[in-house]
Amino acid sequence: MKQTKHEPTAAVASQDAAAYPRDLALCVGGQWRGAPGRETLAVRNPASGAELGRLPVATDEDIDDALRHADAAFATWSRTSAWDRAAILMRAAQLIDQRRGELAVVLTLENGKPLADADGELSRVIEGIVYCAEECKRAYGRQLPPRSALLTQTTVKRPIGPVAAFVPWNFPAFLAARKVAAALAAGCTVVLKAPEETPAIGMLLVRAFLDAGVPAGAIGLLYGKPAQISERLIASPVIRKVSFTGSVPVGRLLAMLASRHLKPCTMELGGHAPVIVCDDVDVARTAHACVAFKYRNSGQVCLSPSRFFVQDCLYEPFVAHFVEYASQLQVGDGLAQGVRMGPLNNERRLAAATELVDDARRRGAQVRLGGARQAGAGYFFPPTVLTDVPASARILREEPFCPVAPILSFGDLDAAITRANAVEYGLAAYLFTNDLQRAATFAEDIDAAWIGINNFTPSLADAPVGGVKDSGLGYEGGPEGLDAYQQIRFVSQSNLRV
């Protein structure tokens, strides 16, 4: 499917909160349930702190109704042919493409990322939905060699059942669409618990799926108190699968809840990605690539590079280039032209970034760039670079999820890999070298599931992303992503008369 290309213009960049949906709502059984009669939460623009709207909090009745509709819709949606499901998903992708101008502005308003990045996220949304539409027609089974005359033995894939899906605020469009599209493509219904910080983009995506022909009830949308919603959804006998993207502590908690009911989980959790820069690379070019990927979405990316190990002879030149390029990033409101990095999404992340930098500084680290909240409104924290960071600093052990880059030196590659592996995370890892033996060694020895050598690659529709150690269970994306929402049945059929 050819996507519409959108370039941010002065007219688009000048749009403000007037573009934000006036009535935020839950979606239950194809009906929108607004704020009247419900507790509400404030939704804020991270670039200014101003309130964008009031979000209704789901009640127990709302949650139970969403479950009831998902259960009822599964009976028909699971028996809808893969070709018909694919056609509906393709229409959803087309509608999102047609509406992407509105969606990108809304995404920037409530998430904070630059408008060009919001538009890029929607491109990945569309690509992911299209991929799932195509892949659902390839849910192949196997035919086993017969063990006796007129015996047919096969395996077939069938939808696992209604899904509870939980997504975070850092990529609220892409992560929601990836779960919803894969579940629907596999023949499952889904109750989506989307993030309270970025609710409007979830509403607009669900509306596109419904407008495309997804049956009422096959997709539900809830917001509110995360513990209340997650506990009630996971405990329900209706839900047969749990899919979560977010932090390790919350993922561990949801996995424990699911384990009580023996429900399978897909968990895409946190990361603390190392970047190892060897002494045989172009230092300026490599530093430029590292800066561009590190400060994408203000560092609020699970795959973001967050620990830089640079070989001794390149260390000071790399730091100098890194600081130079990072200092040139224009930070500001994502709707303003020329902005390369927006604010952090919320006060929690702002406080966390400040605490990590202060902790490193107290332990002896040097702040080469940034290091403190920007003055004025909004949740702005500038690109920050730390050197001389001691091993005891929290930022080397905890997922930063902020625009702070600690840069360390190393002498021997094996020792660098050992240091890189010395955390509980194992999501992404990156290496820059022109030596094939070093590259092969790194790919074999690093504890990570998403590995980049001489490049950084965001999540792709056709590639599985998952984690090792505390970074997750299972995979999303690629054919493995659809397999996560299917169960395999073995069928042995004798064709002899009985």
Side-chain angles (χ1 to χ4, degrees):
M1 176 185 140
K2 185 177 181 181
Q3 297 185 31
T4 305
K5 185 173 178 59
H6 288 261
E7 297 291 344
T9 65
V12 172
S14 67
Q15 295 183 64
D16 57 17
Y20 199 75
R22 302 179 93 185
D23 298 314
L24 299 174
L26 318 171
C27 185
V28 178
Q31 301 298 312
W32 295 97
R33 300 185 177 186
R38 292 176 178 81
E39 181 184 347
T40 61
L41 302 172
V43 180
R44 298 193 179 279
N45 181 343
S48 66
E51 185 173 303
L52 291 167
R54 304 294 301 186
L55 178 68
V57 171
T59 64
D60 285 348
E61 182 181 359
D62 293 324
I63 300 168
D64 292 343
D65 286 349
L67 287 164
R68 178 170 51 81
H69 284 287
D71 191 29
F74 180 74
T76 53
W77 182 249
S78 62
R79 288 173 171 77
T80 301
S81 80
W83 295 88
D84 290 339
R85 297 198 302 266
I88 291 173
L89 290 175
M90 288 296 290
R91 283 199 293 273
Q94 291 163 358
L95 289 174
I96 292 168
D97 191 33
Q98 292 166 12
R99 302 169 183 177
R100 67 190 295 166
E102 173 195 359
L103 270 63
V105 172
V106 166
L107 181 52
T108 293
L109 281 168
E110 61 184 13
N111 173 273
K113 64 184 61 179
L115 189 61
D117 290 357
D119 188 72
E121 181 174 345
L122 291 170
S123 292
R124 296 170 64 207
V125 165
I126 295 164
E127 180 185 79
I129 296 172
V130 169
Y131 177 82
C132 289
E134 296 170 339
E135 189 64 22
C136 76
K137 296 178 286 188
R138 295 188 284 269
Y140 304 133
R142 288 185 293 136
Q143 182 161 333
L144 283 65
R147 285 166 168 75
S148 59
L150 296 180
L151 179 67
T152 303
Q153 294 180 318
T154 59
T155 63
V156 295
K157 295 179 180 179
R158 295 292 183 264
I160 195 168
V163 174
F166 304 86
V167 298
W169 45 259
N170 60 328
F171 288 95
F174 171 67
L175 295 174
R178 182 166 66 182
K179 293 182 190 298
V180 168
L184 292 175
C188 299
T189 55
V190 57
V191 179
L192 173 66
K193 192 281 176 190
E196 288 72 28
E197 295 85 352
T198 55
I201 192 65
M203 284 177 50
L204 295 174
L205 289 177
V206 168
R207 181 170 289 133
F209 280 108
L210 292 172
D211 291 348
V214 173
I219 180 171
L221 177 65
L222 298 175
Y223 299 101
K225 299 174 183 176
Q228 174 191 9
I229 295 174
S230 59
E231 289 176 8
R232 203 166 186 90
L233 288 180
I234 294 173
S236 169
V238 169
I239 295 299
R240 303 294 295 275
K241 164 78 181 183
V242 177
S243 182
F244 171 78
T245 299
S247 70
V248 172
V250 176
R252 185 176 282 119
L253 175 61
L254 296 190
M256 289 175 62
L257 291 174
S259 70
R260 295 175 188 169
H261 307 280
L262 297 179
K263 295 182 180 180
C265 297
T266 297
M267 297 278 163
E268 184 193 348
L269 306 180
H272 204 342
V275 180
I276 297 178
V277 179
C278 295
D279 58 7
D280 59 345
V281 301
D282 183 310
V283 64
R285 186 182 306 160
T286 302
H288 190 274
C290 289
V291 166
F293 205 69
K294 167 60 196 174
Y295 297 110
R296 171 173 166 258
N297 204 29
S298 302
Q300 300 168 123
V301 186
C302 293
L303 300 177
S304 177
S306 51
R307 295 172 293 148
F308 294 86
F309 299 90
V310 183
Q311 204 149 19
D312 291 335
C313 65
L314 288 188
Y315 182 74
E316 286 300 337
F318 180 90
V319 170
H321 284 295
F322 195 101
V323 169
E324 177 190 357
Y325 296 142
S327 67
Q328 295 171 0
L329 293 175
Q330 183 174 334
V331 180
D333 189 322
L335 291 179
Q337 283 191 317
V339 167
R340 296 280 305 282
M341 193 181 98
L344 292 170
N345 179 259
N346 52 66
E347 286 276 11
R348 303 188 306 278
R349 296 316 314 157
L350 197 58
T354 301
E355 290 172 7
L356 289 173
V357 172
D358 289 348
D359 171 79
R361 185 189 281 117
R362 283 195 302 269
R363 297 174 189 272
Q366 301 298 310
V367 179
R368 298 287 191 100
L369 182 69
R373 176 180 185 168
Q374 286 187 188
Y379 311 136
F380 291 98
F381 200 95
T384 295
V385 179
L386 304 178
T387 59
D388 304 310
V389 183
S392 60
R394 287 172 51 198
I395 196 167
L396 297 184
R397 294 176 282 108
E398 301 175 16
E399 181 181 26
F401 224 61
C402 64
V404 180
I407 307 179
L408 306 98
S409 63
F410 75 91
D412 174 72
L413 178 61
D414 289 339
I417 293 175
T418 298
R419 291 167 66 190
N421 286 338
V423 294
E424 295 304 313
Y425 302 95
L427 187 60
Y430 309 97
L431 173 76
F432 285 84
T433 183
N434 287 303
D435 186 309
L436 293 179
Q437 183 170 334
R438 285 172 165 174
T441 298
F442 178 81
E444 287 297 324
D445 293 348
I446 198 71
D447 287 339
W450 189 265
I451 298 172
I453 297 175
N454 297 331
N455 75 104
F456 296 105
T457 304
S459 297
L460 303 174
D462 52 348
V465 60
V468 298
K469 299 193 286 190
D470 282 0
S471 286
L473 301 168
Y475 297 91
E476 296 203 65
E480 295 85 353
L482 265 71
D483 285 346
Y485 298 101
Q486 296 173 319
Q487 57 182 326
I488 297 176
R489 298 180 182 180
F490 171 75
V491 181
S492 180
Q493 177 177 323
S494 173
N495 297 294
L496 295 171
R497 291 181 62 84
V498 293

